[in-house]
RNA sequence: GGAUGCUUAGCUCAGCUGGGAGAGCAUCGCCUUUACACGGCGGAGGUCGUGGGUUCGAUCCCCUCAGCAUCCACCA
């Protein structure tokens, strides 16, 4: 028997272990069609937050739904080593212990990092369990597992051999705090207020001078030219001459190139090839020297002369002051410009000339573009996100994949110590003592990009899991990962498996705080999902996260809605309690043919089937919110408010009992994927049940068990109930005021119609007659009149009926307008036309009846 | 500079391929009715951002504008 109150603590207790122990997440029926998802691997950097819950719960719902639908669901768990993020955290922890991580050396540091990983992996496991995720743990992977590492090496070597990975000296995004290169997507551009300083450059052997504006005076030590636009009349005559660099007196050639924008600054631009990507391109074009002026922590190097050793911003200040003193600073102009910040450290990224490894993107991106134009294309939900990926792929730059870190996949490149060459190989050379392995590791996203197939044991393409579950069925992730991850999985997979990594991709938005702000540590507005779970239960959290949102859009955390979710679950809980009480301990389900059921039972079964149809249709489109709202309406309006109350009259009938049982089963099986804990509890209390709700099948629509007539008949009853209740309330009458009712109709109402009506409206007496007097408060329906026998004010009655008549006349006018409109009659769909005609007839009948009533008054 | 999304009840948001707008919370009134006060019943509250267009018919499709938000982009 269920407890009187729904207690989420009690309900959740032990369920997850029960599922695990019975291997429900990891038992696979190979005769069924597979449905597979690989989890977006969380970083081993900390606790899971609400965003993770939003990322995993929809997937869990679909995994459970598909399993119930008869698929072999497989959800593969795993975690990501998260190179930069984890290394930064481990280094920070060591620093707090007073240890400079460099002092440990590579091996020593990695030991610490692995210990960290084990610690956080165990936290993440607990949190997955708390969220109730149906993960196939025996298949769990970690991006730094040996097998995955081999996979990474194979991919690297293969791309290298094809010329798709190369080493090059280029301007990259340098994080001076973490001292590593970054890829373009790891740089966040923020609008920063900046200053444009105008400096005077003296022309060599001339009295003339040139004014050059820059936002970065500290890089002037690396200038190797000044550019103007050859079309610029102001400066045309200076091209070919030289000017003095104000910071060090170097002679800089004045050159012309159309790249220079005449309208920006003074139209004269300093060129710093080693610290600006555009200047770098110009330097390549004109074969200019590239002078690096900073070290890896963005402090000035020996090229900066007296400024050597200063931080770049300190240097900037000094240079400005010194030039000001010399009278060379002519103007300061405040401007707003975009400045790149490191995604991880938030340090201002320094464009830095450096030797790094790159992936040549064009051919790989082209394959993705081709895929999305083909029949095999990946379907995105919502569809517009395909365009997001495509547009990125169309404008993609080469991908810088080397990172100056220790925690990650070490680049499988070995340099001969004698400097005579290098070997790129999946395994270390046999005479390793003669080699030195590349010190760098790969971008985390390089291995993440292989995730859907590396976890399924690629390159062993004969592996049974690979054969069965790859390509995976669905990817569920946030739109913020389309560039970082989704697109990279797609091109890596196309390149190595010749298949897309997943057939469909469900994209969700971000969760924000109650005010719509991003949750962040600095704002301190983060919500810990485990606080929510403690207060409202994980089922309420799951329900809230997946139903109070729209696919692809951001959502706000709203505690009220979590509470409302919990209340809904309480409603289901109590309806179950009622049903179980009615069924009693000895209930045995039997199948009663639909046509033999009473009308009220036919009605609720019809609505149940309609609901199954609506819910299933939306689940298939991954519209979790829409699916749940159909069920919600059914549970409240049809089941609890109406049928369940009606059933109290006939609760001992076999038909009623079986119907209650069937409807309750349908409801909990449909909501089960959203809220597995409470539904498992209710399910196991059903008189007849399997060992777990996880073994159950999803309800199927029985189209033969839908009777529109039964629904209409029940709705007539419902309308009368509502009208009487409404009348009582609006006339300040007590809801339980006894009344006598007369129904005048030539139609056959269903048996016990009067008894139901009496129960719901506190009527002492209900007469059903074919013809009768209209003495009292009158309500009209297409083929019936309801008379409430009360002493009433005739004027008031008249006014009410007149108002109703006016409404009906409006409806009739509208219907006539449509039906007399030849365009409508000829162009509207036949079903719509038919519906309108029926409505029209109903309205006419009601009108006639109303007019009679008014006349009688 | 490009691109996308959003604008619907006091608040937060639904509204499926066009056919008289819904939920939760808040609010007002009534009800301790034997599943549920984590409740029940009933009500009030919307010119569906602006202006056009397509259509028999537009919250929904197209265009314009406005406001908000996000993403992308090397303008020194």
């Amino acid at each position: 028997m269920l407890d009187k109150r729904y207690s989420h603590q009690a309900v959740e207790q032990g369920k997850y272990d029960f599922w695990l122990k019975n291997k429900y997440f990891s038992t696979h029926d190979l005769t069924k069609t597979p449905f597979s998802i690989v989890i977006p691997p969380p970083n081993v950097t900390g606790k899971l937050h609400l965003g993770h819950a939003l990322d995993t719960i929809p997937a869990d719902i679909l995994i459970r739904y598909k399993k119930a639908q008869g698929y072999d669901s497989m959800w593969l768990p795993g975690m990501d080593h998260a190179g930069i993020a984890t290394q930064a955290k481990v280094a920070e922890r060591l620093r707090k212990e007073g240890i400079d991580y460099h002092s440990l050396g590579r091996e020593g540091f990695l030991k610490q990092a692995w210990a960290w990983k084990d610690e956080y992996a165990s936290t993440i496991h607990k949190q997955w369990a708390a969220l109730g995720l149906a993960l196939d743990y025996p298949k769990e992977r970690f991006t730094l597992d040996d097998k995955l590492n081999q996979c990474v090496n194979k991919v690297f070597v293969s791309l290298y051999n094809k010329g798709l990975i190369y080493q090059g000296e280029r301007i990259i995004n340098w994080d001076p705090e973490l001292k590593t290169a970054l890829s373009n997507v790891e740089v966040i551009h923020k609008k920063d207020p900046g200053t444009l300083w105008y400096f005077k450059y003296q022309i060599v052997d001339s009295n003339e001078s040139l004014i050059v504006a820059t936002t970065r005076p500290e890089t002037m030590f690396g200038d190797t030219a000044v550019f103007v636009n050859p079309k610029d009349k102001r400066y045309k005559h200076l091209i070919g001459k030289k000017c003095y660099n104000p910071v060090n007196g170097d002679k800089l050639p004045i050159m012309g190139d159309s790249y220079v924008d005449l309208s920006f600054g003074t139209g004269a631009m300093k060129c710093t090839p080693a610290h600006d990507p555009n200047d770098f391109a110009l330097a390549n074009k004109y074969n200019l020297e590239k002078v690096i002026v900073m070290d890896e922590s963005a402090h000035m190097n020996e090229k900066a002369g007296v400024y050597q050793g200063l931080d770049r911003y300190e240097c900037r200040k000094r240079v400005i002051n010194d030039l000001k003193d010399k009278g060379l600073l002519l103007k300061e102009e405040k401007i707003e410009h975009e400045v790149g910040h490191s995604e991880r450290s938030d340090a201002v990224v320094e464009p830095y000339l450096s030797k790094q490894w790159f992936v040549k993107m064009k051919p790989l991106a082209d394959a993705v573009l081709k895929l999305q134009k083909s029949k095999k294309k990946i379907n995105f939900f919502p569809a517009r996100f395909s365009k997001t990926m495509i547009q990125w792929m169309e404008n993609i730059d080469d991908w810088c994949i080397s990172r100056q870190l220790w925690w990650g996949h070490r680049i499988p490149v070995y340099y001969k110590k004698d400097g005579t060459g290098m070997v790129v190989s999946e395994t270390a050379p046999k005479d390793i003592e003669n080699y030195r392995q590349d010190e760098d590791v790969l971008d985390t996203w390089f291995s993440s990009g292989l995730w859907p197939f590396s976890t399924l044991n690629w390159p062993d393409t004969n592996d049974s899991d690979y054969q069965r579950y790859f390509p995976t069925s669905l990817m569920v992730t946030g739109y913020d990962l389309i560039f970082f991850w989704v697109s990279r999985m797609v091109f890596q997979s196309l390149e190595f498996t010749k298949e897309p990594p997943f057939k469909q991709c469900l994209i969700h938005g971000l969760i924000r705080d109650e005010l719509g702000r991003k949750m962040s540590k600095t704002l301190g507005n983060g919500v810990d999902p485990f606080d929510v779970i403690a207060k409202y239960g994980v089922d309420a959290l799951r329900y809230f996260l997946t139903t109070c949102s729209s696919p692809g859009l951001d959502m706000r955390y709203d505690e009220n809605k979590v509470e409302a979710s919990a209340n809904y679950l309480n409603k289901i809980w109590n309806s179950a309690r009622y049903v179980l009480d009615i069924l009693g301990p000895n209930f045995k389900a039997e199948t009663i043919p639909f046509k033999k059921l009473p009308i009220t039972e036919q009605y609720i079964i019809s609505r149940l089937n309609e609901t199954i149809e609506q819910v299933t249709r939306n689940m298939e489109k991954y519209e979790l919110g829409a699916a749940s709202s159909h069920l919600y309406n059914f549970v409240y309006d049809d089941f609890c408010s109406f049928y369940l109350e009606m059933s109290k009259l006939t609760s001992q009938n076999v038909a009623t009992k079986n119907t209650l049982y069937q409807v309750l089963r349908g409801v909990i099986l449909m909501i089960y994927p959203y809220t597995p804990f409470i539904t498992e509890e209710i399910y196991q209390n059903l008189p007849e049940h399997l060992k777990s709700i996880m073994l159950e099948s999803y309800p199927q629509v029985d189209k033969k068990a839908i009777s529109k007539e039964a629904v209409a008949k029940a709705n007539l009853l419902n309308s009368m109930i509502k009208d009487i209740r409404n009348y009582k309330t609006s006339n300040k009458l007590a809801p339980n005021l006894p009344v006598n009712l007369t129904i005048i109709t030539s139609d056959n109402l269903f048996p016990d119609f009067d008894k139901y009506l009496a129960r719901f409206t506190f009527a002492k007496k209900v007469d059903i007659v074919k013809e009768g007097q209209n003495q009292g408060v009158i309500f009209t329906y297409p083929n019936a009149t309801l008379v409430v026998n009360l002493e009433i004010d005739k004027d008031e009655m008249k006014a009410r009926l007149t108002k109703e008549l006016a409404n009906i006349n409006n409806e009739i006018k509208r219907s006539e307008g449509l039906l007399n409109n030849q365009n409508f009659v000829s162009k509207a769909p036949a079903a719509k036309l038919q519906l309108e005609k029926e409505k029209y007839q109903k309205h006419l009948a009601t009108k006639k009846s109303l007019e009679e009533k008014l006349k009688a008054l």
Side-chain angles (χ1 to χ4, degrees):
Chain A
M1 207 50 221
L2 299 179
D3 290 338
K4 174 139 193 214
R5 284 171 66 157
Y6 159 52
S7 150
H8 59 266
Q9 290 95 342
V11 159
E12 286 164 26
Q13 185 70 38
K15 293 277 191 301
Y16 198 76
D17 287 339
F18 166 73
W19 294 326
L20 272 185
K21 211 173 282 168
N22 285 286
K23 299 189 165 62
Y24 293 139
F25 307 155
S26 53
T27 303
H28 299 286
D29 182 343
L30 301 184
T31 64
K32 294 179 171 173
T33 310
F35 179 83
S36 55
I37 301 180
V38 291
I39 201 170
N43 294 348
V44 288
T45 45
K47 287 170 69 176
L48 301 185
H49 48 73
L50 262 190
H52 287 110
L54 184 62
D55 204 39
T56 51
I57 288 167
D60 190 57
I61 289 173
L62 292 168
I63 280 285
R64 289 173 182 272
Y65 168 75
K66 287 286 180 178
K67 182 175 161 66
Q69 280 285 17
Y71 290 81
D72 167 26
S73 283
M74 193 285 287
W75 192 14
L76 189 144
M79 299 178 202
D80 197 298
H81 67 282
I84 297 181
T86 308
Q87 176 153 344
K89 293 243 176 178
V90 175
E92 192 193 330
R93 179 153 86 175
L94 287 167
R95 200 180 312 126
K96 280 182 184 157
E97 292 166 10
I99 302 167
D100 177 4
Y101 79 93
H102 295 96
S103 70
L104 299 176
R106 188 173 196 126
E107 293 309 312
F109 177 79
L110 288 180
K111 227 182 212 173
Q112 295 287 326
W114 276 102
W116 170 284
K117 180 258 168 183
D118 290 339
E119 199 179 316
Y120 279 92
S122 115
T123 305
I124 289 170
H125 278 130
K126 280 183 202 142
Q127 297 184 321
W128 282 344
L131 293 173
L133 308 182
L135 294 163
D136 186 350
Y137 288 104
K139 291 189 171 43
E140 182 172 348
R141 295 289 186 272
F142 180 57
T143 47
L144 281 183
D145 287 347
D146 278 345
K147 277 192 83 172
L148 271 66
N149 198 9
Q150 287 164 26
C151 183
V152 166
N153 286 346
K154 188 179 176 70
V155 164
F156 185 97
V157 172
S158 165
L159 289 173
Y160 177 81
N161 289 337
K162 282 192 186 174
L164 292 172
I165 280 183
Y166 64 91
Q167 194 175 31
E169 195 142 8
R170 296 186 12 194
I171 295 274
I172 46 86
N173 304 294
W174 183 264
D175 180 335
E177 202 160 294
L178 301 172
K179 299 188 184 67
T180 177
L182 302 173
S183 67
N184 293 351
V185 287
E186 287 165 297
V187 176
I188 297 170
H189 294 274
K190 294 185 192 173
K191 272 204 174 115
D192 275 12
T195 308
L196 196 55
W197 287 278
Y198 290 72
F199 296 114
K200 187 170 166 185
Y201 285 49
Q202 190 64 42
I203 307 293
V204 176
D205 298 331
S206 159
N207 292 331
E208 254 189 289
S209 61
L210 184 63
I211 300 163
V212 176
T214 179
T215 54
R216 304 206 55 203
E218 70 277 14
T219 64
M220 286 166 78
F221 303 98
D223 290 359
T224 50
V226 169
F227 275 89
V228 297
N229 194 307
K231 285 183 189 159
D232 194 332
K233 286 175 189 151
R234 295 172 293 180
Y235 306 123
K236 206 172 176 180
H237 66 287
L238 296 174
I239 294 173
K241 296 191 174 174
K242 290 191 173 183
C243 61
Y244 292 108
N245 185 338
V247 293
N248 57 14
D250 282 359
K251 290 179 186 174
L252 303 173
I254 299 169
M255 308 176 76
D257 193 276
S258 59
Y259 168 75
V260 178
D261 181 349
L262 282 77
S263 61
F264 190 91
T266 61
M269 179 191 91
K270 74 189 203 60
C271 177
T272 321
H275 290 275
D276 184 285
N278 300 307
D279 296 3
F280 178 76
L282 282 172
N284 279 343
K285 191 168 168 186
Y286 297 103
N287 210 12
L288 298 170
E289 202 192 338
K290 296 150 190 157
V291 181
I292 297 172
V293 301
M294 293 174 205
D295 65 15
E296 57 179 24
S297 63
H299 285 65
M300 306 310 293
N301 67 13
E302 71 284 355
K303 302 282 182 192
V306 297
Y307 306 99
Q308 182 177 353
L310 292 180
D311 172 79
R312 53 188 163 164
Y313 296 115
E314 185 56 28
C315 173
R316 177 185 296 179
K317 254 191 236 167
R318 302 266 192 101
V319 165
I320 293 164
N321 273 331
D322 291 351
L323 291 180
K324 197 174 181 181
D325 290 347
K326 287 184 194 165
L328 297 175
L329 173 65
L330 302 178
K331 187 178 162 191
E332 290 182 49
E333 184 184 348
K334 296 288 173 207
I335 57 162
E336 196 172 68
H337 60 160
E338 295 271 339
V339 176
H341 293 252
S342 164
E343 189 213 5
R344 286 294 159 194
S345 69
D346 201 43
V348 172
V349 164
E350 184 63 36
Y352 200 56
L353 180 61
S354 169
K355 196 176 189 182
Q356 302 287 346
W357 289 93
F358 297 88
V359 175
K360 190 176 175 183
M361 285 306 303
K362 186 82 171 56
L364 296 165
D366 284 346
V368 177
L369 298 175
K370 200 175 144 198
L371 171 77
Q372 289 308 84
K373 282 180 193 149
S374 75
K375 277 188 181 166
K376 264 186 138 174
K377 74 170 185 171
I378 298 165
N379 287 314
F380 283 76
F381 298 81
R384 66 173 183 275
F385 289 109
S386 173
K387 214 161 83 181
T388 307
M389 181 176 75
I390 286 171
Q391 283 178 351
W392 190 66
M393 285 290 186
E394 282 171 344
N395 303 299
I396 197 161
D397 290 322
D398 284 356
W399 175 18
C400 175
I401 51 171
S402 42
R403 297 289 178 275
Q404 288 63 54
L405 304 168
W406 286 339
W407 179 241
H409 298 275
R410 198 158 168 186
I411 291 180
V413 174
Y414 305 85
Y415 304 95
K416 277 192 181 164
K417 283 181 180 165
D418 60 12
T420 57
M422 65 181 189
V423 174
V424 178
S425 163
E426 291 178 46
T427 50
K430 277 179 189 141
D431 53 337
I432 185 72
E433 63 278 5
N434 296 322
Y435 292 84
R436 172 177 66 73
Q437 187 175 0
D438 197 303
E439 292 295 326
D440 293 348
V441 300
L442 290 165
D443 181 1
T444 294
W445 298 103
F446 191 87
S447 56
S448 312
L450 315 176
W451 187 248
F453 54 98
S454 66
T455 54
L456 287 169
N457 305 323
W458 186 90
D460 180 5
T461 51
N462 291 321
D463 177 83
S464 57
D465 278 351
Y466 180 82
Q467 292 259 328
R468 184 164 176 76
Y469 298 115
F470 189 84
T472 60
S473 312
L474 178 68
M475 169 56 56
V476 181
T477 192
Y479 62 69
D480 53 328
L481 287 180
I482 292 176
F483 303 142
F484 278 106
W485 192 39
V486 174
S487 56
R488 281 159 179 173
M489 282 189 282
V490 177
F491 73 71
Q492 293 280 41
S493 183
L494 286 177
E495 171 68 18
F496 289 98
T497 73
K498 308 299 166 203
E499 299 279 352
F502 31 80
K503 293 165 194 149
Q504 304 185 317
C505 186
L506 175 59
I507 298 288
H508 60 74
L510 308 177
I511 183 149
R512 298 169 173 277
D513 75 356
E514 274 155 332
L515 300 173
R517 301 171 303 182
K518 256 189 183 172
M519 291 191 184
S520 76
K521 277 187 189 141
T522 41
L523 277 175
N525 60 346
V527 173
D528 186 339
F530 303 95
D531 292 345
V532 182
I533 290 172
K535 194 164 175 192
Y536 298 103
V538 65
D539 284 330
L541 175 66
R542 290 172 60 111
Y543 190 81
F544 160 70
L545 284 175
T546 50
T547 63
C548 296
S549 62
S550 236
L553 296 184
D554 290 353
M555 71 181 298
R556 293 188 191 203
Y557 176 74
D558 184 343
E559 187 166 338
N560 280 332
K561 288 187 180 174
V562 182
E563 194 181 344
S565 303
N567 290 346
Y568 174 41
L569 297 180
N570 185 58
K571 187 81 180 170
I572 292 176
W573 177 266
N574 275 293
S575 67
R577 238 162 44 83
Y578 165 79
V579 173
L580 294 177
D581 188 38
I582 296 295
L583 297 187
N586 302 319
F587 173 77
K588 288 230 159 32
E590 52 187 285
T591 309
I592 301 169
F594 179 71
K595 297 220 161 121
K596 294 201 170 159
L597 289 172
I599 291 294
T600 46
E601 276 63 32
Q602 285 192 14
Y603 147 77
I604 194 67
I605 296 293
S606 297
R607 287 289 302 124
L608 175 67
N609 276 297
E610 284 172 359
T611 305
I612 294 170
E613 193 278 325
Q614 289 161 329
V615 170
T616 308
R617 185 158 39 81
N618 282 291
M619 292 297 279
E620 291 298 322
K621 293 188 292 184
Y622 308 134
E623 293 272 0
L624 301 183
S628 71
S629 78
H630 285 291
L631 183 60
Y632 182 94
N633 292 336
F634 174 75
V635 166
Y636 269 94
D637 300 341
D638 293 291
F639 187 44
C640 291
S641 297
F642 196 32
Y643 179 71
L644 197 144
E645 292 300 330
M646 288 199 287
S647 76
K648 288 175 181 173
L649 265 184
T650 57
S651 62
Q652 291 320 305
N653 292 359
V654 177
T656 306
K657 286 188 175 188
N658 276 283
T659 303
L660 283 171
Y661 176 70
Q662 189 185 340
V663 175
L664 176 65
R665 258 184 68 96
V667 167
I668 65 167
L669 287 175
M670 275 189 274
I671 200 178
Y672 146 72
Y674 295 82
T675 59
F677 292 91
I678 186 175
T679 46
E680 177 75 291
E681 181 73 20
I682 294 171
Y683 177 81
Q684 292 189 9
N685 278 281
L686 290 178
E688 293 184 343
H689 62 86
L690 305 174
K691 194 172 174 188
S692 165
I693 196 167
M694 287 204 68
L695 303 172
E696 272 292 349
S697 304
Y698 208 77
Q700 298 296 310
V701 181
D702 179 359
K703 284 191 177 159
K704 285 179 197 151
I706 297 178
S707 162
K708 285 193 174 172
E709 201 191 338
V711 172
K713 284 187 170 175
N715 281 340
L716 177 64
L717 173 63
N718 209 0
S719 301
M720 289 184 176
I721 293 166
K722 286 202 151 92
D723 283 337
I724 293 169
R725 283 173 170 169
N726 183 351
Y727 182 82
K728 284 182 175 178
T729 303
S730 52
N731 288 285
K732 311 254 180 228
L733 301 172
N736 55 358
L737 178 82
V739 286
N740 290 328
L741 303 175
T742 306
I743 300 168
I744 306 164
T745 182
S746 52
D747 279 9
N748 285 325
L749 302 175
F750 59 85
D752 290 339
F753 191 100
D754 49 346
K755 286 189 184 134
Y756 289 116
L757 191 59
R759 179 183 172 87
F760 280 94
T761 62
F762 298 89
K764 279 191 300 191
K765 196 170 147 229
V766 179
D767 295 322
I768 301 175
V769 297
K770 289 226 153 87
E771 278 176 38
Q773 295 182 344
N774 298 324
Q775 293 297 325
V777 183
I778 291 156
F779 299 93
T780 46
Y781 309 92
N783 291 313
T785 299
L786 172 68
V787 184
V788 183
N789 298 302
L790 280 171
E791 283 302 316
I792 50 107
D793 182 335
K794 278 197 176 178
D795 289 340
E796 198 224 9
M797 184 73 197
K798 219 171 182 174
R800 196 170 61 77
L801 291 179
T802 310
K803 197 177 157 196
E804 222 172 289
L805 185 63
N807 283 341
I808 281 292
N809 278 330
N810 271 338
E811 289 298 315
I812 287 172
K813 225 168 122 185
R814 176 182 161 272
S815 276
E816 282 174 346
L818 276 177
L819 293 172
N820 291 334
N821 183 333
Q822 277 314 304
N823 281 321
F824 175 77
V825 174
S826 58
K827 290 179 184 175
K832 182 68 201 166
L833 185 62
Q834 184 58 31
L835 203 72
E836 202 53 50
K837 280 182 180 166
E838 283 168 18
K839 259 195 204 168
Y840 183 57
Q841 290 307 321
K842 271 189 191 177
H843 291 148
L844 284 182
T846 309
K847 180 185 176 172
K848 194 178 156 203
S849 165
L850 275 171
E851 280 168 348
E852 281 169 9
K853 312 286 156 19
L854 274 169
K855 215 184 214 172
L857 277 172

